[in-house]
Amino acid sequence: DAKTTQPTSMDCAEGRAANLPCNHSTISGNEYVYWYRQIHSQGPQYIIHGLKNNETNEMASLIITEDRKSSTLILPHATLRDTAVYYCIVRGYMEYGNKLVFGAGTILRVKS
Amino acid sequence: EAQVTQNPRYLITVTGKKLTVTCSQNMNHEYMSWYRQDPGLGLRQIYYSMNVEVTDKGDVPEGYKVSRKEKRNFPLILESPSPNQTSLYFCASSLSVPRGRGTDTQYFGPGTRLTVL
């Protein structure tokens, strides 16, 4: 997987948008950007993924820069239950074992 | 509800006592995988299965066995557990292994916290 860089931690006020950045400057043309999160000791949860266009689903929006070297995950109205570690992962196809490689991620703390 | 289930969720056992952690998915997924998560080491893949009767080693397979006799089930077997296998274990599944399309979404179970004394 291409290397990603995320801030170690971020705070966000409840009800406000949480914007989580991710740098992936070495991403190649066939690699996708995936976001997962892990709420304390629970199983990682898929959030969203994209290739080059911006994506939105019921959980979040994903904004990918035109050069694809960075992206931002947006949780539009963060709640206390969104407090978790958020992982940005870049992956292409035929990864050995199809495994997901999680980096350190960003600890998002949503505060009331 | 589409989900991956694991049992047991918590287990304390002693060295050498064989155990099995079950994993089941109800999404008709081809691909299943086991990970362990340890502080400071992140998620590491133990074994994976591309489909029924097709399994292969991940990054840390030593001390573990798996089988895939049915599509929905992928049990993890510890024949002789040791304290260094104390960990949080996750099972995951996805619809299929990407074949040139470059995308897949993996769904994780709730985890099994294993302590080997």
XYZ file of all heavy atoms in Angstrom, chain A residues 19-100:
668
model
N -13.330 17.474 9.906
C -12.587 17.344 8.659
C -11.263 16.657 8.946
O -10.392 17.229 9.594
C -12.324 18.721 8.029
C -13.615 19.422 7.665
O -14.267 19.070 6.694
N -14.012 20.398 8.460
N -11.109 15.455 8.455
C -9.911 14.679 8.746
C -9.057 14.581 7.480
O -9.474 13.972 6.505
C -10.272 13.277 9.243
C -10.913 13.215 10.626
C -12.429 13.313 10.532
C -10.512 11.953 11.334
N -7.847 15.142 7.523
C -7.001 15.128 6.321
C -6.139 13.877 6.232
O -5.841 13.240 7.238
C -6.126 16.373 6.525
C -5.989 16.464 8.021
C -7.270 15.927 8.610
N -5.742 13.590 5.015
C -4.832 12.465 4.769
C -3.957 12.802 3.560
O -4.475 13.235 2.529
C -5.631 11.191 4.505
S -4.605 9.737 4.156
N -2.673 12.651 3.714
C -1.747 12.831 2.595
C -1.321 11.484 2.042
O -0.973 10.569 2.803
C -0.521 13.623 3.037
C -0.842 15.078 3.266
O -1.643 15.655 2.549
N -0.237 15.659 4.278
N -1.366 11.353 0.743
C -0.936 10.117 0.077
C -0.250 10.501 -1.220
O -0.731 10.207 -2.315
C -2.111 9.157 -0.152
C -3.435 9.813 -0.380
N -3.813 10.362 -1.591
C -4.465 10.017 0.475
C -5.021 10.857 -1.483
N -5.451 10.681 -0.253
N 0.898 11.156 -1.075
C 1.574 11.759 -2.225
C 2.112 10.743 -3.220
O 2.388 11.101 -4.365
C 2.701 12.671 -1.740
O 3.619 11.921 -0.971
N 2.275 9.489 -2.812
C 2.834 8.488 -3.730
C 1.757 7.583 -4.324
O 2.068 6.547 -4.903
C 3.883 7.622 -3.015
O 3.251 6.967 -1.916
C 5.044 8.465 -2.516
N 0.526 7.980 -4.217
C -0.568 7.152 -4.731
C -0.419 6.964 -6.239
O 0.001 7.873 -6.959
C -1.927 7.796 -4.383
C -3.070 6.830 -4.633
C -2.118 9.102 -5.131
C -4.409 7.327 -4.077
N -0.714 5.778 -6.708
C -0.623 5.522 -8.143
C -2.023 5.510 -8.747
O -3.027 5.520 -8.037
C 0.087 4.197 -8.410
O -0.624 3.141 -7.834
N -2.050 5.490 -10.060
C -3.300 5.741 -10.771
C -4.415 4.758 -10.506
O -5.591 5.115 -10.605
N -4.086 3.530 -10.156
C -5.138 2.534 -9.948
C -5.432 2.275 -8.483
O -6.117 1.307 -8.148
C -4.760 1.227 -10.643
C -3.522 0.599 -10.045
O -2.863 1.189 -9.186
N -3.192 -0.596 -10.484
N -4.927 3.114 -7.629
C -5.141 2.926 -6.193
C -6.288 3.781 -5.686
O -6.426 4.949 -6.046
C -3.858 3.241 -5.419
C -2.774 2.181 -5.632
C -1.518 2.490 -4.844
O -1.085 3.652 -4.825
O -0.961 1.534 -4.259
N -7.082 3.184 -4.819
C -8.222 3.839 -4.223
C -7.863 4.359 -2.834
O -6.979 3.826 -2.161
C -9.395 2.867 -4.094
C -10.101 2.574 -5.392
C -9.499 1.810 -6.385
C -11.387 3.041 -5.627
C -10.143 1.535 -7.565
C -12.050 2.770 -6.800
C -11.419 2.020 -7.768
O -12.073 1.744 -8.944
N -8.606 5.343 -2.390
C -8.501 5.844 -1.023
C -9.684 5.294 -0.233
O -10.846 5.494 -0.615
C -8.515 7.382 -0.977
C -8.411 7.859 0.475
C -7.380 7.955 -1.827
N -9.373 4.585 0.836
C -10.395 4.032 1.724
C -10.288 4.695 3.099
O -9.207 5.027 3.561
C -10.183 2.528 1.933
C -10.720 1.646 0.854
C -10.034 1.470 -0.354
C -11.914 0.957 1.031
C -10.538 0.655 -1.335
C -12.424 0.137 0.055
C -11.730 -0.017 -1.125
O -12.229 -0.839 -2.109
N -11.437 4.834 3.723
C -11.465 5.280 5.119
C -12.213 4.252 5.947
O -13.317 3.823 5.589
C -12.129 6.648 5.258
C -11.255 7.780 4.819
C -11.069 8.253 3.558
C -10.454 8.606 5.676
N -10.193 9.309 3.560
C -9.811 9.559 4.835
C -10.220 8.643 7.049
C -8.941 10.526 5.350
C -9.368 9.606 7.547
C -8.732 10.536 6.707
N -11.587 3.884 7.059
C -12.209 3.035 8.062
C -12.084 3.757 9.403
O -11.248 4.647 9.567
C -11.489 1.681 8.184
C -11.806 0.683 7.107
C -11.253 0.796 5.835
C -12.660 -0.392 7.362
C -11.547 -0.129 4.847
C -12.952 -1.324 6.387
C -12.397 -1.181 5.129
O -12.685 -2.098 4.149
N -12.883 3.340 10.354
C -12.712 3.842 11.711
C -12.856 2.682 12.690
O -13.461 1.657 12.387
C -13.718 4.945 12.037
C -15.147 4.469 12.259
C -16.038 5.643 12.571
N -17.406 5.232 12.849
C -18.403 6.086 13.089
N -18.160 7.401 13.075
N -19.615 5.636 13.329
N -12.279 2.881 13.860
C -12.366 1.879 14.902
C -12.708 2.567 16.207
O -11.904 3.355 16.734
C -11.063 1.087 15.038
C -11.182 -0.080 15.991
C -9.953 -0.967 16.020
O -8.866 -0.557 15.649
N -10.129 -2.211 16.466
N -13.893 2.294 16.672
C -14.319 2.768 17.978
C -13.739 1.801 18.990
O -13.724 0.598 18.769
C -15.856 2.824 18.054
C -16.367 3.838 17.013
C -16.332 3.175 19.444
C -17.858 3.815 16.795
N -13.320 2.322 20.088
C -12.489 1.611 21.055
C -12.719 0.103 21.106
O -13.768 -0.363 21.526
C -12.702 2.206 22.447
C -11.885 1.540 23.510
N -10.512 1.565 23.505
C -12.238 0.784 24.560
C -10.065 0.888 24.536
N -11.100 0.400 25.202
N -11.704 -0.651 20.610
C -11.662 -2.115 20.681
C -12.788 -2.809 19.916
O -12.948 -4.021 20.022
C -11.652 -2.588 22.130
O -10.448 -2.208 22.738
N -13.572 -2.057 19.157
C -14.575 -2.700 18.302
C -13.942 -3.033 16.955
O -12.833 -2.602 16.653
C -15.786 -1.798 18.106
C -16.547 -1.505 19.373
C -17.754 -0.624 19.112
O -18.257 -0.541 17.987
N -18.243 0.031 20.143
N -14.644 -3.797 16.141
C -14.135 -4.111 14.820
C -14.072 -2.871 13.951
O -14.962 -2.013 14.022
N -13.024 -2.743 13.149
C -12.971 -1.601 12.226
C -14.229 -1.546 11.362
O -14.775 -2.576 10.974
C -11.726 -1.909 11.384
C -10.868 -2.739 12.269
C -11.834 -3.575 13.054
N -14.638 -0.337 11.062
C -15.872 -0.115 10.313
C -15.557 0.654 9.049
O -14.920 1.710 9.103
C -16.860 0.673 11.184
C -18.170 1.016 10.502
C -19.037 1.945 11.336
O -18.545 2.674 12.188
N -20.329 1.910 11.087
N -16.009 0.148 7.937
C -15.831 0.840 6.667
C -16.660 2.122 6.662
O -17.806 2.149 7.132
C -16.288 -0.065 5.527
C -16.510 0.640 4.211
C -15.444 0.965 3.383
C -17.788 0.981 3.797
C -15.646 1.612 2.171
C -18.002 1.626 2.585
C -16.925 1.937 1.788
O -17.124 2.572 0.586
N -16.068 3.200 6.134
C -16.800 4.461 6.037
C -17.099 4.796 4.583
O -18.253 4.939 4.185
C -16.001 5.621 6.676
C -15.709 5.324 8.145
C -16.778 6.930 6.531
C -14.767 6.336 8.786
N -16.048 4.902 3.783
C -16.226 5.382 2.416
C -14.954 5.111 1.632
O -13.893 4.879 2.220
C -16.557 6.895 2.435
C -17.190 7.368 1.127
C -15.325 7.719 2.777
C -17.808 8.766 1.241
N -15.044 5.125 0.320
C -13.847 5.035 -0.500
C -14.066 5.773 -1.810
O -15.216 6.042 -2.210
C -13.428 3.582 -0.752
C -14.275 2.846 -1.733
N -15.485 2.278 -1.393
C -14.101 2.576 -3.045
C -16.006 1.682 -2.449
N -15.188 1.861 -3.475
N -12.961 6.091 -2.486
C -13.063 6.783 -3.760
C -11.786 6.649 -4.561
O -10.731 6.315 -4.027
N -11.890 6.946 -5.843
C -10.750 6.879 -6.739
C -10.249 8.279 -7.084
O -9.106 8.624 -6.817
C -11.117 6.126 -8.017
C -9.985 5.925 -9.032
C -8.865 5.092 -8.439
C -10.528 5.283 -10.312
N -11.101 9.080 -7.671
C -10.680 10.451 -7.979
C -11.813 11.453 -7.833
O -11.582 12.634 -7.608
C -10.084 10.545 -9.366
C -10.948 9.988 -10.476
C -10.178 10.026 -11.786
C -10.989 9.390 -12.915
N -10.235 9.378 -14.189
N -13.042 10.979 -7.929
C -14.167 11.881 -7.738
C -14.534 11.967 -6.264
O -14.273 11.058 -5.495
C -15.376 11.390 -8.525
C -15.107 11.374 -10.015
O -14.451 12.267 -10.544
N -15.605 10.353 -10.681
N -15.149 13.065 -5.894
C -15.647 13.188 -4.524
C -16.798 12.213 -4.335
O -17.566 11.947 -5.260
C -16.097 14.623 -4.260
C -14.950 15.599 -4.369
O -13.781 15.242 -4.224
N -15.276 16.850 -4.647
N -16.894 11.678 -3.144
C -17.923 10.698 -2.845
C -18.670 11.096 -1.581
O -18.101 11.735 -0.688
C -17.310 9.306 -2.645
C -16.493 8.770 -3.803
C -17.357 8.346 -4.974
O -18.577 8.179 -4.803
O -16.790 8.160 -6.085
N -19.931 10.714 -1.531
C -20.745 10.962 -0.338
C -21.631 9.758 -0.094
O -22.171 9.174 -1.032
C -21.619 12.220 -0.525
O -20.770 13.365 -0.642
C -22.543 12.428 0.670
N -21.739 9.392 1.162
C -22.733 8.388 1.542
C -23.405 8.836 2.832
O -23.243 9.995 3.259
C -22.110 6.998 1.651
C -21.045 6.897 2.725
O -21.002 7.720 3.652
N -20.189 5.907 2.618
N -24.134 7.941 3.451
C -24.917 8.346 4.616
C -24.037 8.650 5.817
O -24.496 9.279 6.779
C -25.932 7.255 4.974
C -25.309 5.941 5.410
C -24.881 5.063 4.256
O -25.021 5.509 3.087
O -24.409 3.954 4.522
N -22.810 8.217 5.788
C -21.933 8.453 6.929
C -21.057 9.685 6.761
O -20.794 10.405 7.725
C -21.012 7.243 7.149
C -21.665 6.020 7.718
S -20.471 4.713 8.002
C -19.546 5.396 9.375
N -20.541 9.889 5.544
C -19.500 10.893 5.376
C -19.362 11.308 3.920
O -19.997 10.746 3.031
C -18.164 10.314 5.865
N -18.504 12.312 3.739
C -18.092 12.715 2.394
C -16.588 12.574 2.285
O -15.864 12.735 3.281
C -18.485 14.164 2.117
O -19.886 14.306 2.095
N -16.142 12.274 1.086
C -14.721 12.143 0.811
C -14.371 13.105 -0.308
O -14.943 13.030 -1.398
C -14.385 10.708 0.402
C -12.952 10.430 -0.042
C -11.962 10.745 1.080
C -12.812 8.976 -0.488
N -13.443 13.994 -0.002
C -12.972 14.955 -0.979
C -11.541 14.585 -1.361
O -10.670 14.515 -0.483
C -12.992 16.396 -0.431
C -14.369 16.724 0.167
C -12.605 17.398 -1.512
C -15.499 16.687 -0.824
N -11.303 14.327 -2.625
C -9.970 13.968 -3.111
C -9.476 15.092 -3.995
O -10.196 15.542 -4.903
C -10.014 12.632 -3.901
C -10.573 11.513 -3.014
C -8.617 12.256 -4.409
C -10.794 10.196 -3.731
N -8.267 15.551 -3.744
C -7.731 16.642 -4.548
C -7.523 16.191 -5.987
O -7.401 14.984 -6.268
C -6.411 17.155 -3.981
O -5.472 16.062 -3.918
C -6.600 17.730 -2.584
N -7.448 17.162 -6.864
C -7.344 16.836 -8.282
C -6.093 16.027 -8.603
O -6.116 15.132 -9.451
C -7.368 18.128 -9.113
C -7.583 17.886 -10.591
C -7.877 19.182 -11.334
O -8.259 20.177 -10.691
O -7.725 19.173 -12.574
N -5.004 16.330 -7.928
C -3.777 15.566 -8.166
C -3.746 14.253 -7.387
O -2.790 13.484 -7.497
C -2.542 16.411 -7.842
C -2.457 16.806 -6.379
O -3.275 16.312 -5.568
O -1.582 17.613 -6.031
N -4.769 14.015 -6.601
C -4.959 12.789 -5.809
C -3.887 12.592 -4.743
O -3.764 11.504 -4.172
C -5.027 11.551 -6.713
C -6.118 11.621 -7.734
C -6.658 10.296 -8.244
N -5.707 9.226 -8.283
C -5.846 8.082 -7.616
N -6.893 7.890 -6.824
N -4.951 7.130 -7.715
N -3.143 13.590 -4.435
C -2.086 13.444 -3.435
C -2.599 13.615 -2.013
O -1.858 13.374 -1.048
C -0.965 14.443 -3.709
C -0.203 14.160 -5.006
C 0.946 15.125 -5.169
C 1.633 14.962 -6.528
N 2.218 13.630 -6.691
N -3.817 14.044 -1.869
C -4.374 14.157 -0.525
C -5.892 14.055 -0.588
O -6.499 14.178 -1.670
C -3.970 15.469 0.144
O -4.542 16.569 -0.542
N -6.479 13.803 0.565
C -7.936 13.700 0.649
C -8.392 14.162 2.028
O -7.585 14.274 2.954
C -8.400 12.270 0.369
O -7.868 11.366 1.321
N -9.675 14.430 2.128
C -10.267 14.835 3.399
C -11.559 14.066 3.613
O -12.413 14.020 2.720
C -10.575 16.343 3.426
O -9.356 17.069 3.228
C -11.190 16.753 4.762
N -11.666 13.469 4.770
C -12.912 12.828 5.178
C -13.713 13.851 5.976
O -13.187 14.463 6.906
C -12.623 11.604 6.041
C -13.862 10.898 6.594
C -14.563 10.105 5.488
C -13.498 9.969 7.742
N -14.960 14.005 5.622
C -15.812 14.971 6.317
C -16.979 14.254 6.967
O -17.759 13.565 6.296
C -16.346 16.037 5.346
C -15.179 16.781 4.691
C -17.260 17.019 6.081
C -15.598 17.719 3.586
N -17.063 14.388 8.280
C -18.252 13.943 9.009
C -19.081 15.202 9.222
O -18.692 16.078 10.003
C -17.867 13.327 10.346
C -16.840 12.191 10.306
C -16.529 11.698 11.710
C -17.316 11.052 9.442
N -20.205 15.351 8.572
C -20.876 16.650 8.517
C -21.402 17.169 9.858
O -21.376 18.361 10.103
C -22.017 16.419 7.534
C -22.207 14.948 7.475
C -20.894 14.333 7.761
N -21.858 16.300 10.708
C -22.390 16.715 12.014
C -21.909 15.702 13.052
O -22.600 14.746 13.368
C -23.918 16.771 11.993
C -24.482 17.631 10.913
N -24.426 19.004 10.946
C -25.081 17.317 9.746
C -24.982 19.490 9.848
N -25.377 18.489 9.103
N -20.712 15.932 13.549
C -20.104 14.944 14.439
C -20.900 14.793 15.735
O -21.402 15.773 16.306
C -18.667 15.350 14.755
N -21.006 13.549 16.187
C -21.631 13.265 17.475
C -20.598 12.594 18.381
O -19.523 12.181 17.931
C -22.832 12.325 17.320
O -22.356 11.011 16.967
C -23.791 12.825 16.243
N -20.947 12.463 19.642
C -20.016 11.844 20.590
C -19.679 10.419 20.154
O -18.569 9.931 20.411
C -20.630 11.850 21.994
C -20.904 13.230 22.601
C -21.567 13.091 23.966
C -19.639 14.054 22.697
N -20.610 9.763 19.489
C -20.373 8.393 19.049
C -19.399 8.289 17.882
O -19.008 7.195 17.488
C -21.700 7.732 18.666
C -22.561 7.369 19.867
C -23.888 6.791 19.455
N -24.726 7.779 18.793
C -25.972 7.579 18.420
N -26.521 6.401 18.609
N -26.671 8.527 17.833
N -19.040 9.430 17.321
C -18.035 9.433 16.257
C -16.612 9.455 16.807
O -15.647 9.415 16.035
C -18.247 10.634 15.325
C -19.524 10.507 14.516
O -19.849 9.386 14.062
O -20.204 11.542 14.332
N -16.468 9.562 18.111
C -15.128 9.493 18.706
C -14.532 8.123 18.406
O -15.105 7.090 18.768
C -15.202 9.729 20.218
O -15.608 11.068 20.462
C -13.854 9.470 20.876
N -13.383 8.119 17.721
C -12.801 6.865 17.235
C -11.436 7.159 16.644
O -11.026 8.317 16.525
C -13.694 6.223 16.171
N -10.755 6.101 16.241
C -9.541 6.240 15.447
C -9.929 6.074 13.979
O -10.590 5.094 13.628
C -8.480 5.192 15.819
C -7.220 5.395 14.981
C -8.147 5.264 17.308
N -9.524 7.029 13.161
C -9.882 7.030 11.749
C -8.650 6.707 10.918
O -7.607 7.326 11.063
C -10.459 8.387 11.346
C -11.854 8.586 11.894
C -12.061 8.909 13.234
C -12.978 8.409 11.078
C -13.338 9.057 13.744
C -14.258 8.554 11.576
C -14.427 8.874 12.919
O -15.698 9.016 13.417
N -8.807 5.738 10.048
C -7.697 5.263 9.231
C -7.926 5.581 7.763
O -8.977 5.250 7.199
C -7.532 3.754 9.377
C -7.223 3.272 10.767
C -8.227 2.778 11.584
C -5.926 3.316 11.260
C -7.947 2.318 12.859
C -5.641 2.856 12.537
C -6.664 2.362 13.329
O -6.371 1.915 14.592
N -6.943 6.186 7.167
C -6.925 6.437 5.733
C -6.019 5.378 5.105
O -4.871 5.215 5.534
C -6.393 7.847 5.477
S -6.030 8.236 3.768
N -6.521 4.660 4.141
C -5.765 3.559 3.540
C -5.813 3.716 2.035
O -6.873 3.980 1.458
C -6.386 2.204 3.928
C -6.396 2.026 5.447
C -5.639 1.050 3.270
C -7.263 0.890 5.916
N -4.667 3.537 1.425
C -4.604 3.560 -0.035
C -4.303 2.146 -0.498
O -3.355 1.515 -0.024
C -3.521 4.536 -0.521
C -3.285 4.372 -2.010
C -3.916 5.963 -0.200
N -5.104 1.643 -1.388
C -4.878 0.284 -1.855
C -5.328 0.093 -3.283
O -6.291 0.673 -3.751
C -5.570 -0.713 -0.940
C -7.043 -0.543 -0.824
C -7.605 -1.418 0.291
N -7.968 -2.745 -0.153
C -7.333 -3.850 0.210
N -6.286 -3.813 0.982
N -7.751 -5.028 -0.203
N -4.594 -0.753 -3.954
C -4.960 -1.126 -5.307
C -5.500 -2.529 -5.303
O -5.923 -3.054 -4.291
N -5.485 -3.168 -6.426
C -6.003 -4.527 -6.493
C -4.866 -5.507 -6.373
O -3.699 -5.178 -6.475
C -6.781 -4.739 -7.773
C -6.000 -4.535 -9.050
C -5.372 -5.596 -9.693
C -5.928 -3.280 -9.642
C -4.671 -5.407 -10.861
C -5.221 -3.080 -10.810
C -4.603 -4.150 -11.415
O -3.912 -3.957 -12.571
N -5.217 -6.733 -6.092
C -4.264 -7.826 -5.957
C -3.227 -7.572 -4.870
O -2.077 -7.960 -4.996
C -3.560 -8.103 -7.292
C -4.519 -8.494 -8.386
S -5.606 -9.865 -7.924
C -4.458 -11.227 -7.961
N -3.640 -6.890 -3.800
C -2.754 -6.808 -2.649
C -2.584 -8.218 -2.108
O -3.537 -8.968 -2.006
C -3.377 -5.935 -1.556
C -3.732 -4.519 -1.977
C -2.518 -3.632 -2.067
O -1.423 -4.086 -1.683
O -2.662 -2.500 -2.529
N -1.382 -8.574 -1.717
C -1.139 -9.916 -1.224
C -2.063 -10.212 -0.049
O -2.103 -9.459 0.918
C 0.323 -10.083 -0.807
C 0.584 -11.441 -0.211
C 0.672 -12.560 -1.030
C 0.713 -11.607 1.156
C 0.897 -13.810 -0.491
C 0.943 -12.851 1.698
C 1.032 -13.945 0.871
O 1.240 -15.183 1.398
N -2.799 -11.288 -0.158
C -3.705 -11.648 0.919
C -4.911 -10.740 1.022
O -5.737 -10.901 1.915
N -5.014 -9.785 0.131
C -6.106 -8.815 0.203
C -6.192 -8.157 1.574
O -7.256 -7.721 1.988
C -7.440 -9.499 -0.131
C -8.508 -8.513 -0.503
O -8.238 -7.481 -1.095
N -9.727 -8.807 -0.125
N -5.075 -8.072 2.261
C -5.130 -7.567 3.621
C -5.239 -6.045 3.628
O -4.805 -5.357 2.705
C -3.875 -7.974 4.392
C -2.598 -7.378 3.839
C -1.382 -7.936 4.550
C -0.099 -7.404 3.903
N 1.092 -8.051 4.466
N -5.822 -5.548 4.671
C -5.848 -4.114 4.922
C -4.670 -3.778 5.831
O -4.430 -4.469 6.809
C -7.146 -3.700 5.601
C -8.397 -3.693 4.716
C -9.626 -3.464 5.570
C -8.283 -2.636 3.641
